Amino acid sequence: MSVVVIGAGAAGLHAARLLRDRGQQVTVLEAADRLGGRVCSLDGFAAFPLELGAEELHGERSLPYRLARARGLPLRPCRERLHLWSDLRVGRRAVLRDDDPDLDAALRFFDALPAYRGRDVPLAQALAPLAPRAREVLEAMVSNEYGASSERLGMAGLAAAEQAWQKQGSRNYALVGLPLLTLLAAEAPPVQLQKRVAALDWSGPEVVVTTRGGERFTAAQAIVTVPLPVLRDGDIAFTPELPEAQRYAARTIGSGPLLKIFLRFKRRLWPQRRSALTILGTPCAPQLWSSGTWGLRADDVLTALVAGAAAEKLLALGTQALPRLLAELDACLSAPGERAASRSLAEHFIKDWSAEPLVRCGYSYPTLGSAPLRADLARALRQKGAARPSVAFAGEATHERLFGSLQGALLSAERAVRELIGDAVPRPGANRGASMKECE
Ligand SMILES: Cc1cc2nc3c(=O)[nH]c(=O)nc-3n(C[C@H](O)[C@H](O)[C@H](O)COP(=O)(O)OP(=O)(O)OC[C@H]3O[C@@H](n4cnc5c(N)ncnc54)[C@H](O)[C@@H]3O)c2cc1C
């Protein structure tokens, strides 16, 4: 049997590897001139590769972590010392401690999320009764991490996701000194780059895929792994067209801007410790962390992750965005009037994922009412009476609970492969045919 895989990000590469290992003839078509999609690194900026997209492997029971272990890649746990920007600004340099009443309230809210069974209301509404400092923590650790403002996130989708994340293990890990792409590219079949798929015809006995350049590829089946906005915007013309339920899901599940900003300073502005400094809640950037302390050696780089309305605001500031962010860091990292951050900035780099033409967002997020729609988005296309589907869908947005992650992307690839060839998919450390529940 032959399968064409569209997209060579985490999901596409994993699906292609599994298919090849099961004796399928695989063709992988990638529109970009590189592998990895939302996994790609920046070399030469720091003493080690900085990840422009995914950076951490979430949980020691997750598939990315287990694959990294199975492939013998060096891993380190990520440790954080949390600071609130508002505290640093008023001179309270203390690390947020578990006995801080607002952090305690924030953590209790977070811990209760998986058990939330109330109405699907916006996260902002659920946060409203909390004290402002507790909200600041949760806006950074929940809204920003889920890639949207708290007004746009639905509690039902967040609860479902947190239930699933609880089972992945409690620690996060990063590769030491190696780009994360090493994990994805290991043992992957060859990929045809710069093949931007424009049409997929599944009306006949074979699937016919046509690129923008007019090249045609035929196969018995296909797996589509393109990002949500690419599917939603109709970059690929399907014949017959996608069912309305699938198009509705693509329109309704959220996706928005996500920025990663790297700031390298001529000198370190924070104390060197074994664990990384994380600053939560600056108005410009809800989460900033010192990347260097997670790497092989301390470096003077701060990374900011900015999602949702904060990202929109920053983008709207244009050339004023950087001075504004630096002014906020001046206020919390230096003595009054010293302007340490502004004065000692050596270099900066901004990655705006919404401006990537082949991705157009950070990752998908749960809007109000969208929790049940992921299954519609993921539904395979099958001709009447056919034993197996012609087209399956994978990619982070198609995972019902672990969307927005490598784990979701890889597990969605396993599901898509099973849908097409019906084969149990073994994974490292698991018996062949082990239940999906193990990793979900
Ligand atoms: C800033 C940022 C930080 C993140 N941090 C983490 C993290 O720490 N941990 C974590 O687990 N996850 C993280 N993620 C999420 C993770 O990166 C994604 O969930 C995952 O990489 C998505 O993989 P994918 O295969 O679904 O999609 P992608 O990686 O986007 O792959 C889709 C591929 O399809 C290609 N494509 C698009 N259109 C076409 C077309 N017409 N024809 C052919 N090919 C096409 C694209 O070029 C792309 O290569 C982060 C993401 C971002 C953006």
Side-chain angles (χ1 to χ4, degrees), residues 9-11 30-31 37-38 53-56 58 197 358 363 395-396 404-406:
E30 166 57 53
R38 280 168 273 181
E55 182 164 334
E56 294 180 1
H58 299 303
V197 172
L358 299 169
Y363 34 74
E396 59 84 12
S405 71
L406 293 171

Side-chain angles (χ1 to χ4, degrees), residues 96-327:
L96 272 177
R97 290 159 44 130
D98 289 353
D99 57 3
D100 178 299
D102 290 329
L103 179 65
D104 184 53
L107 294 179
R108 271 190 280 118
F109 181 96
F110 187 74
D111 289 344
L113 254 182
Y116 182 80
R117 296 285 180 276
R119 276 192 317 120
D120 191 12
V121 295
L123 172 65
Q125 190 174 321
L127 294 183
L130 297 179
R133 279 175 86 246
R135 278 208 307 269
E136 257 181 70
V137 173
L138 288 162
E139 290 282 358
M141 289 172 59
V142 182
S143 317
N144 201 57
E145 289 242 338
Y146 273 92
S149 316
S150 55
E151 291 77 16
R152 295 189 193 158
L153 290 167
M155 284 293 285
L158 289 175
E162 285 302 321
Q163 272 167 33
W165 280 117
Q166 265 189 338
K167 297 180 191 155
Q168 308 306 306
S170 53
R171 301 193 83 168
N172 295 340
Y173 296 82
L175 291 193
V176 182
L178 289 174
L180 190 51
L181 186 58
T182 318
L183 171 63
L184 300 184
E187 300 158 29
V191 174
Q192 301 197 37
L193 298 174
Q194 295 178 300
K195 305 285 183 208
R196 189 164 178 173
V197 172
L200 189 158
D201 186 336
W202 58 286
S203 60
E206 291 203 298
V207 173
V208 182
V209 170
T210 311
T211 65
R212 272 199 177 181
E215 281 176 272
R216 277 161 58 97
F217 297 84
T218 53
Q221 294 166 306
I223 299 184
V224 177
T225 75
V226 298
L228 178 65
V230 173
L231 193 69
R232 179 196 63 207
D233 298 347
D235 285 35
I236 302 178
F238 286 85
T239 307
E241 74 174 333
L242 294 179
E244 172 50 24
Q246 205 154 11
R247 285 182 281 139
Y248 177 74
R251 288 196 302 273
T252 311
I253 296 167
S255 63
L258 188 62
L259 307 175
K260 243 188 183 180
I261 304 173
F262 300 103
L263 306 170
R264 190 164 61 74
F265 298 99
K266 291 174 197 144
R267 64 189 174 89
R268 195 180 340 100
L269 304 175
W270 52 92
Q272 185 175 5
R273 298 264 168 82
R274 277 176 63 80
S275 55
L277 164 95
T278 295
I279 305 171
L280 303 176
T282 69
C284 270
Q287 278 171 301
L288 288 127
W289 61 85
S290 57
S291 309
T293 45
W294 292 2
L296 289 172
R297 44 173 275 212
D299 216 340
D300 301 339
V301 178
L302 272 187
T303 301
L305 185 74
V306 193
E312 282 159 16
K313 269 191 218 149
L314 214 50
L315 289 170
L317 282 171
T319 54
Q320 284 312 301
L322 185 64
R324 182 77 68 86
L325 176 56
L326 288 169

